[in-house]
Structure formats: structure tokens, C-alpha cells
Amino acid sequence: MFNLVIFGPPGAGKGTQSAKIIEKYKLAHISTGDMFRMHISQDTALGKKVKEILAEGMLVPDSVTIDMLEEEVNNQKEVTGFIFDGFPRTIAQAEALDSFLEGKKEKINLVIQLMVTEEEIKARIAERKKTSGRADDDEIKLIKRIEEYFQKTVHVLPYYEKQGKLKQIQGIGEIEAIFEDIVRVMDEQLLP
Ligand code: AMP
């Protein structure tokens, strides 16, 4: 199995690059954000619990997120690996993921960080707003999520750096050029 974690703030192109990675390497996509949104749209008990938290752009408690993720991974049979997108966002989640995978004789092989600064992301959003005229309310929530990333999620990166698994890739530029960089670091790990 090959297990990849992809990091990057909202708006860094994580979704686009994840889709391309999945297509090329046939990994199963695990996006905790997508899973929460699905629970909300289906109005499940979990959906009811997290609806407000997502609306505010805050983080869902670790225990809730970890349980949901582990169940999803356990449900995916006969896959060649996973791409974890939006998880882990805290050290507790990263530690839980490591011990969960260890229990399956698996591990995280590689962590890719799409490098974009807070200023660049905010400038992109301001630019996008000029053309799309997004509602201000949405913009406030998006900025809250970006700040959540730079204040909390980035603290997970040293955890993987210490394990020698972190690769940083410039997240500003052409989609294809960024993807080529990702393919290069992935193939370094995958090819003998
Ligand atoms: P995303 O689509 O990954 O940006 O996630 C959307 C929202 O879901 C986040 O703003 C959080 O409220 C929640 N969420 C997703 N993943 C996590 C996680 N690993 N830990 C806590 N909350 C999460």
C-alpha cells in the first residue's frame, strides 16, 4: 500500500491535485471535509452534530473526526493505498492515524505540502471575488478556514518532518507544472 497525506490551505489547489493523483496512482480518496458535508446533506445524527461547526469554519473535535475516518478506511477493501485530504489537522489526529495504520501493518509513506502563503491565498480570493462576486458571508467563512489552517493545521507539519516524510511543493503556478513536481516526489518513493 502507498499512503499519502496532502496538506495545503483552502484554495491552494489541493482538490485539483488530489483528483489528478487519484487518477494516476489509483488511490482511494479520504476527505474528512467531504464526509462531513455528506453527513450534513443526508441529515444524519453526525451531520446534525457537526453542521454548526462546519458553518463556522471551526474544527470538529478530534474523537469524532478520528472515529469517522477509521470507519471509512476499514470499509474500503482491496485498495492499493489512500490519499488523506484534510486529515490530520491536529497532532492528536496524526498520532491516531499512525497507530491505526500500524495496527494494520501499514504506515504513511509520504506527506506533500502545497506551499502557498496566507497572503497569496487571500490575494487569490480577493481576485476571484472581483469576477464571481461571491457573497460576503461565504468569504468570511472561507477566511476563517484559511486562518484555521495557518493557526492550527500547519503545526502538524513538523510531526511528519521529524519522521522524514515531508516534501514541500510550490503551490503557485500552472496546474500541470505543480502536478509534475508531485509525480516526481511520489515516483521517488514508489520506484526502486
Ligand atoms: P475541508 O473541506 O477539508 O476544508 O473541510 C471542511 C470542514 O470540515 C472544516 O472547515 C472543518 O470544519 C471540518 N473538518 C474537515 N476535516 C477535519 C479534520 N481533520 N478535523 C477537524 N475538522 C475537520
Side-chain angles (χ1 to χ4, degrees):
M1 274 232 251
F2 189 85
N3 298 309
L4 171 75
V5 176
I6 187 159
F7 273 100
K14 205 155 42 85
T16 309
Q17 295 298 339
S18 291
K20 292 176 77 68
I21 295 168
I22 288 158
E23 197 191 346
K24 183 168 167 74
Y25 296 97
K26 312 291 174 220
L27 302 179
H29 190 213
I30 301 278
S31 159
T32 40
D34 283 353
M35 288 159 71
F36 285 132
R37 280 184 288 273
M38 197 199 69
H39 278 280
I40 292 168
S41 71
Q42 294 180 355
D43 205 23
T44 65
L46 177 59
K48 287 189 177 79
K49 202 162 153 183
V50 302
K51 193 174 178 178
E52 270 306 300
I53 301 175
L54 265 86
E56 295 296 325
M58 312 285 282
L59 292 186
V60 174
D62 284 336
S63 61
V64 175
T65 309
I66 292 163
D67 286 353
M68 179 183 73
L69 175 116
E70 292 185 355
E71 193 187 331
E72 178 68 17
V73 170
N74 285 334
N75 281 339
Q76 302 255 1
K77 308 271 184 245
E78 313 207 356
V79 294
T80 52
F82 292 96
I83 171 166
F84 296 98
D85 169 2
F87 185 97
R89 269 173 153 100
T90 63
I91 301 277
Q93 291 180 12
E95 287 171 349
L97 181 60
D98 271 356
S99 59
F100 173 66
L101 291 175
E102 209 179 302
K104 297 176 172 300
K105 308 257 179 295
E106 292 295 339
K107 61 174 183 178
I108 292 298
N109 299 85
L110 177 67
V111 177
I112 290 178
Q113 178 192 7
L114 291 178
M115 303 277 289
V116 187
T117 66
E118 191 165 356
E119 291 69 34
E120 283 163 338
I121 282 291
K122 287 184 175 169
R124 266 196 201 180
I125 291 163
E127 197 52 43
R128 212 185 291 166
K129 201 187 160 205
K130 274 190 211 157
T131 45
S132 71
R134 261 170 171 279
D136 276 351
D137 197 31
D138 282 353
E139 195 196 336
I140 291 163
K141 282 173 192 159
L142 182 56
I143 287 176
K144 175 82 201 142
R145 285 169 56 213
I146 291 166
E147 285 171 354
E148 200 75 42
Y149 176 83
F150 285 102
Q151 283 163 16
K152 296 198 180 146
T153 308
V154 290
H155 298 303
V156 180
L157 293 167
Y159 177 88
Y160 289 114
E161 198 171 16
K162 271 184 228 139
Q163 296 184 358
K165 292 178 181 170
L166 181 67
K167 296 279 177 195
Q168 296 177 319
I169 287 180
Q170 189 50 251
I172 296 279
E174 291 294 318
I175 290 173
E176 283 308 324
I178 296 167
F179 185 59
E180 272 175 29
D181 287 344
I182 292 176
V183 167
R184 193 172 33 77
V185 297
M186 284 194 65
D187 287 349
E188 266 169 28
Q189 302 290 322
L190 281 164
L191 304 175

